[in-house]
Amino acid sequence: MCGIVGYIGNQKAKEILINGLKSLEYRGYDSAGIATIENNKIDMVKEKGRVANLEASPEIGKLTGTIGIAHTRWATHGKPSKENSHPHMDNSNTFAVVHNGIIENYADLRKFLTDNGYSFISQTDTEVVPNLVHYYFSNDKSENTLNKFLTAVRKAVSDLKGSYALEIISSLFPDVIIVVRKDSPLVIGKGNGENFIASDIPAVLRYTKDFYLLDDNEFAVIYKDKINFYDSSLEPHNKEIKNIEWDASSAEKDGYEDYMLKEINEQPTAIRETIGSRFRLGEPCSFDDIDITKSYLESLNKIFIVACGTAMHAGLVGKAIIEKLCRIPTEVDIASEFRYRDPIIDEKTLCIFVSQSGETADTLAALRLSKSKGAKTLAVSNVIGSTITREADYTIYTHAGPEIAVASTKAYTSQVCLLAILGIYFAELLGSYPKVKLEELKSDILDLPSKIESVLDNTEKIKEFADKVYTQKDMFFLGRGTDYDVALEGSLKLKEISYIHSEAYAAGELKHGPIALIENGVTVIGIITNEKLVEKTISNLQEVITRGAKTFIITNQVLPNNNFSYCLNIPATNELISPILSVIPLQLLSYYISKNKGLDVDKPRNLAKSVTVE
Ligand code: F6R
């Protein structure tokens, strides 16, 4: 939610900031703005809408400074507009601020500042910040030093309740950018005679691979040739730099029309990388990064898997895998529900948090709650150094590479794959599942990349089906077992990028109500990959065909003669991991329906990729 970028060096800041904003647009895209400093004056340009509007602004030429901050917004307080877009300045135009997060007590702070003679231009929560900095700075009657600036920022920040990643510049100090964060991401890229700031690493990966990952309540004063770090009391300290191995091109479109299509096609590589060296046939799985023991697993009475959206759907498959292989009761919960429902957790509970971004506010809150109740916490994430990974007791990473499209694809399949490997690892420690069967499952996992490639070979067939159904108003997705988990994910994907209403049902549940919605011409997508459930699901599909539905079947089974409208065969694999293959036609179907409707696939309306607010 909201992306921020910063630059300080010898180049014109504007180009670098715009490039950074473009790659952060997935975090929000209803308005954008930049402020730079030149001749001890802050120049600012803001526009409603996409970063492209900002780039095309007639005013953009006035930004000539070599130090600047920038922002792309996902509106929380105040509608999308030029006034509400960032940066925001204080009343004297001395301080400019960009902010990602939410200031929960902004109304009180606004009243306090108004009572002290300040006025406001926007409806945002953020505008209190530059004015608070000004308030503390101007009430300090000492000489104007950098320390006075930093102290004013610290005092302002200590008044804030909520979450923030902040970049602050001042016309009085044109050689520095001050940054601080709490519960919102911020990284600093170290260059040679120049430094970069961003909400995530890919935004500035083309300029540097050396990053500092700012901690909560940590301040940094960034010059072009040095960076000083301070704790929450402004005590200076040294900080470890991390070299990031991602290839810069992995954050670019690489010739694809959209990031989503690129990321769908990257799934063979993402799965290969996620498997990595975690196992070889005939050898036990190893997770160097976690020291979970057999006796700890034996002591557990429950595992929770907690996540949001697509990550939660991956968790549903994880539950099926862990329960089957380990026989440990496993519950899946939506993080926003879990955190407020007083879940039964103690030291005998292992809580697994699945989050591509590692920044989702509800998932983070659920993690903190679980820790406070004595549970051990394990994060499954794709983003190194993200907040959730830093707070969890253990972290295991999917190695899907940066996922830029708002709709998650390769992160989902990598999460399912990693949860499967984790399930095998637990089962090997516990001795809870026949060794020979675990070896078969490992072999099936190793075969996934080539099987995904053969599913992708069917892209044209799926596109043809999309051409036929893209004008539909409603669609239904049916499946049983892990096929139902995939139905939920297929339905979410369709809703979010094609704006077609859809519902996913456990196939056997249909006749308990929703079948009333089936009428002539409605499209029903059936997923059938579990041999034991083939006949049951087919019976449910016949019920909808009888009522006039058109059916599109994704299966790895040999189906008896039938009257389905379309049938797509995918390679056979163990039913526990079949979602990794069966979801791909559904991802492609949503993608081509969205393209047919002329929509922005990568940036669907009202959505942002990283949901760092409740
Ligand atoms: C849907 C999608 C979202 C995310 C959800 C959790 O395509 O991407 O439903 O899965 O917002 O995000 P993370 O995994 O970053 O916690």
Side-chain angles (χ1 to χ4, degrees):
M1 317 245 104
C2 302
I4 64 179
V5 201
Y7 174 76
I8 181 162
N10 295 319
Q11 304 185 56
K12 292 253 181 303
K14 180 182 61 187
E15 276 88 39
I16 292 161
L17 295 173
I18 285 187
N19 283 339
L21 288 183
K22 281 183 181 163
S23 77
L24 287 172
E25 262 194 313
Y26 71 86
R27 300 177 67 88
Y29 32 84
D30 57 48
S31 53
I34 296 182
T36 62
I37 308 178
E38 180 80 320
N39 299 326
N40 290 77
K41 178 174 161 288
I42 298 176
D43 297 307
M44 194 160 73
V45 179
K46 315 203 257 191
E47 285 298 336
K48 190 178 163 194
R50 301 272 161 108
V51 174
N53 295 4
L54 179 71
E55 196 176 14
S57 164
E59 293 181 89
I60 199 82
K62 77 178 185 193
L63 299 176
T64 51
T66 58
I67 163 176
I69 56 176
H71 187 269
T72 176
R73 181 167 184 252
W74 188 85
T76 56
H77 296 74
K79 63 180 186 333
S81 70
K82 203 163 167 168
E83 298 74 52
N84 288 335
S85 58
H86 301 215
H88 291 285
M89 290 229 242
D90 71 300
N91 288 176
S92 71
N93 294 340
T94 309
F95 302 99
V97 169
V98 295
H99 166 221
N100 168 29
I102 286 191
I103 312 292
E104 287 162 6
N105 59 336
Y106 83 102
D108 294 343
L109 295 171
R110 211 169 153 117
K111 173 156 188 335
F112 167 79
L113 288 162
T114 311
D115 291 347
N116 281 279
Y118 289 83
S119 60
F120 292 87
I121 297 165
S122 76
Q123 289 94 50
T124 64
D125 51 342
T126 304
E127 202 182 350
V128 298
V129 181
N131 285 306
L132 272 177
V133 174
H134 179 269
Y135 172 82
Y136 286 116
F137 189 83
S138 56
N139 278 306
D140 178 345
K141 298 300 171 206
S142 65
E143 220 182 304
N144 284 354
T145 59
L146 182 65
N147 193 40
K148 178 172 158 181
F149 177 24
L150 183 58
T151 304
V153 171
R154 188 186 72 82
K155 284 183 178 161
V157 160
S158 59
D159 285 345
L160 307 180
K161 291 204 179 103
S163 58
Y164 46 81
L166 294 165
E167 293 178 330
I168 305 161
I169 54 172
S170 170
S171 54
L172 299 174
F173 303 96
D175 302 326
V176 292
I177 303 175
I178 295 181
V179 296
V180 55
R181 61 155 264 174
K182 182 178 161 279
D183 295 341
S184 289
L186 193 140
V187 299
I188 302 167
K190 185 179 174 306
N192 193 0
E194 56 186 355
N195 288 311
F196 308 84
I197 306 156
S199 296
D200 73 15
I201 289 167
V204 290
L205 199 56
R206 66 172 81 173
Y207 306 111
T208 178
K209 290 198 165 162
D210 294 323
F211 285 88
Y212 294 103
L213 310 177
L214 204 69
D215 286 318
D216 267 358
N217 305 312
E218 187 177 27
F219 293 81
V221 177
I222 304 167
Y223 301 75
K224 67 180 179 185
D225 47 8
K226 65 174 177 179
I227 305 164
N228 295 337
F229 294 96
Y230 302 87
D231 68 12
S232 56
S233 324
L234 296 189
E235 281 300 315
H237 60 262
N238 293 328
K239 195 168 174 71
E240 194 194 329
I241 198 156
K242 278 199 174 4
N243 184 266
I244 301 295
E245 285 165 15
W246 283 348
D247 178 356
S249 73
S250 60
E252 313 282 340
K253 276 194 203 156
D254 240 355
Y256 282 92
E257 218 173 305
D258 308 275
Y259 281 113
M260 184 176 175
L261 189 60
K262 174 177 176 252
E263 288 159 9
I264 290 173
N265 280 283
E266 280 173 343
Q267 290 179 104
T269 311
I271 295 295
R272 232 174 252 123
E273 297 287 319
T274 297
I275 299 168
S277 55
R278 279 169 173 142
F279 68 78
R280 274 197 210 124
L281 290 181
E283 290 174 25
C285 288
S286 69
F287 279 92
D288 303 340
D289 19 18
I290 54 181
D291 62 351
I292 284 180
T293 59
K294 179 176 184 194
S295 62
Y296 169 70
L297 288 173
E298 281 171 343
S299 75
L300 292 178
N301 53 24
K302 196 193 315 177
I303 293 179
F304 265 115
I305 303 181
V306 184
C308 302
T310 288
M312 192 275 290
H313 294 159
L316 292 172
V317 186
K319 166 192 161 82
I321 295 167
I322 292 171
E323 289 196 332
K324 176 91 178 176
L325 304 186
C326 311
R327 306 311 292 165
I328 302 174
T330 303
E331 209 178 310
V332 179
D333 210 345
I334 299 165
S336 56
E337 290 294 314
F338 178 88
R339 61 182 291 195
Y340 293 117
R341 76 168 171 88
D342 195 12
I344 301 167
I345 308 171
D346 57 25
E347 60 290 341
K348 291 188 173 156
T349 319
L350 170 65
C351 294
I352 300 177
F353 298 89
V354 186
S355 176
Q356 187 284 130
S357 63
E359 301 292 346
T360 301
D362 284 318
T363 311
L364 178 61
L367 182 147
R368 289 178 178 162
L369 174 76
S370 308
K371 279 183 99 167
S372 74
K373 293 192 172 224
K376 281 239 178 306
T377 55
L378 187 155
V380 175
S381 182
N382 195 39
V383 178
I384 295 163
S386 52
T387 310
I388 287 173
T389 67
R390 284 195 259 172
E391 296 201 13
D393 296 305
Y394 309 113
T395 296
I396 54 176
Y397 285 104
T398 49
H399 294 292
E403 193 181 62
I404 312 283
V406 165
S408 183
T409 53
K410 63 176 180 171
Y412 169 81
T413 44
S414 303
Q415 285 159 354
V416 174
C417 179
L418 192 53
L419 288 168
I421 302 172
L422 186 71
I424 296 173
Y425 172 67
F426 286 176
E428 284 174 342
L429 285 175
L430 286 166
S432 53
Y433 203 69
K435 222 172 157 191
V436 55
K437 289 212 155 64
L438 289 178
E439 287 303 310
E440 278 168 22
L441 181 54
K442 284 183 191 169
S443 167
D444 282 330
I445 292 176
L446 289 172
D447 287 342
L448 282 170
S450 64
K451 289 183 178 174
I452 294 174
E453 273 155 18
S454 78
V455 180
L456 290 168
D457 287 343
N458 283 302
T459 297
E460 273 308 310
K461 208 171 169 194
I462 298 160
K463 191 165 182 284
E464 275 167 33
F465 183 70
D467 291 345
K468 293 199 161 56
V469 297
Y470 78 96
T471 51
Q472 292 267 326
K473 293 260 173 298
D474 300 287
M475 284 199 203
F476 294 84
F477 291 75
L478 301 184
R480 286 171 179 256
T482 53
D483 292 337
Y484 170 50
D485 302 336
V486 173
L488 287 164
E489 175 57 9
S491 171
L492 175 65
K493 218 80 313 173
L494 186 73
K495 283 191 258 271
E496 65 179 331
I497 62 165
S498 77
Y499 316 152
I500 292 177
H501 168 253
S502 73
E503 302 276 355
Y505 279 100
E509 188 64 9
L510 202 67
K511 60 173 83 65
H512 298 286
I515 201 163
L517 296 168
I518 303 296
E519 56 187 10
N520 217 18
V522 157
T523 298
V524 176
I525 318 267
I527 303 121
I528 311 176
T529 69
N530 185 333
E531 199 183 343
K532 292 187 213 88
L533 299 171
V534 173
E535 284 173 13
K536 303 278 172 211
T537 309
I538 288 187
S539 303
N540 301 131
L541 285 161
Q542 291 306 337
E543 290 159 9
V544 299
I545 291 171
T546 309
R547 287 158 181 85
K550 281 193 280 177
T551 46
F552 176 50
I553 307 302
I554 295 159
T555 187
N556 58 16
Q557 302 294 310
V558 180
L559 302 183
N561 271 350
N562 57 64
N563 43 359
F564 301 131
S565 315
Y566 290 88
C567 196
L568 184 82
N569 288 96
I570 59 170
T573 190
N574 187 305
E575 80 213 28
L576 292 173
I577 52 169
S578 66
I580 296 174
L581 300 177
S582 57
V583 79
I584 291 168
L586 303 181
Q587 296 168 344
L588 286 165
L589 181 66
S590 302
Y591 173 83
Y592 284 111
I593 289 178
S594 177
K595 290 301 274 184
N596 276 340
K597 292 180 79 173
L599 301 173
D600 187 338
V601 175
D602 285 338
K603 300 186 199 96
R605 71 184 178 202
N606 306 338
L607 290 172
K609 186 147 188 79
S610 186
V611 187
T612 52
V613 295
E614 255 193 75

